[in-house]
Amino acid sequence: MNLEKLYQQTIMDYNNNEFKYDIKDPTDVERGHNHSCGDDLTLVIKTKGEYILDASFIGTGCAISTASTAMLTSIIKNKKIEYVKELVEIFFEMMKGNAISEDKKNLLEDAAILEITKDMPARIKCSTLSWHSLKIILEKY
Ligand code: ZN
């Protein structure tokens, strides 16, 4: 399986509705809008104490922004907020093309595949959209 194929497969896996659902009494809601592509995705999070209890999203976006958001929500559920802050930092370092260790990259799980889009000007806004929303939310904590 080449990288392109793996990329397509991962994107496909995350473009189903199992990641999109209603969260009752969310603590944080942050809308992300990518004008160049038309992605309009709102991140919905529920925190309790030091933890992110649940994460989901609403809205519509292209395959890449939707997959990226689904990956994001799946890796931050039931994680400590401080740890998630670290994940966001690692993600943006990766997307900027800065050198990060394999161990750190592995923490991103499937989202590490989004690195492929870092050199695609038309796509990088799609893959980073909800990560920006998450960053805004985490600044409150
Ligand atoms: Zn897009």
Side-chain angles (χ1 to χ4, degrees):
M1 191 186 273
N2 64 31
L3 213 52
E4 196 59 34
K5 199 108 184 162
L6 177 66
Y7 173 64
Q8 285 169 1
Q9 189 57 50
T10 309
I11 298 290
M12 294 290 285
D13 289 345
Y14 282 94
N15 273 276
N16 57 51
N17 282 327
E18 70 178 282
F19 300 97
K20 277 172 96 174
Y21 54 85
D22 280 329
I23 293 178
K24 216 174 163 253
D25 306 322
T27 48
D28 300 277
V29 175
E30 187 67 37
R31 184 180 174 198
H33 196 187
N34 174 13
H35 294 274
S36 58
C37 180
D39 307 313
D40 190 350
L41 295 167
T42 299
L43 199 57
V44 184
I45 280 174
K46 186 168 186 166
T47 61
K48 192 178 183 194
E50 297 180 335
Y51 286 86
I52 291 175
L53 286 190
D54 208 353
S56 183
F57 65 102
I58 51 173
T60 52
C62 67
I64 291 178
S65 63
T66 304
S68 171
T69 307
M71 290 167 183
L72 178 158
T73 59
S74 71
I75 64 173
I76 68 171
K77 263 175 235 179
N78 298 309
K79 301 275 166 60
K80 265 194 162 174
I81 291 167
E82 285 307 311
Y83 173 75
V84 173
K85 283 183 181 179
E86 201 183 315
L87 289 183
V88 171
E89 217 167 282
I90 294 168
F91 179 80
F92 280 110
E93 285 299 306
M94 178 181 80
M95 296 310 274
K96 279 184 219 152
N98 293 341
I100 54 167
S101 69
E102 280 302 309
D103 285 350
K104 279 191 172 179
K105 208 184 274 186
N106 287 339
L107 298 177
L108 296 174
E109 298 176 37
D110 282 350
I113 198 77
L114 295 167
E115 184 178 20
I116 302 170
T117 63
K118 76 174 165 51
D119 299 317
M120 304 176 181
R123 302 268 71 138
I124 189 163
K125 280 186 183 169
C126 304
S127 50
T128 57
L129 182 69
S130 290
W131 294 81
H132 283 294
S133 300
L134 179 60
K135 199 167 183 236
I136 292 167
I137 289 173
L138 293 178
E139 276 164 8
K140 291 181 241 164
Y141 288 88

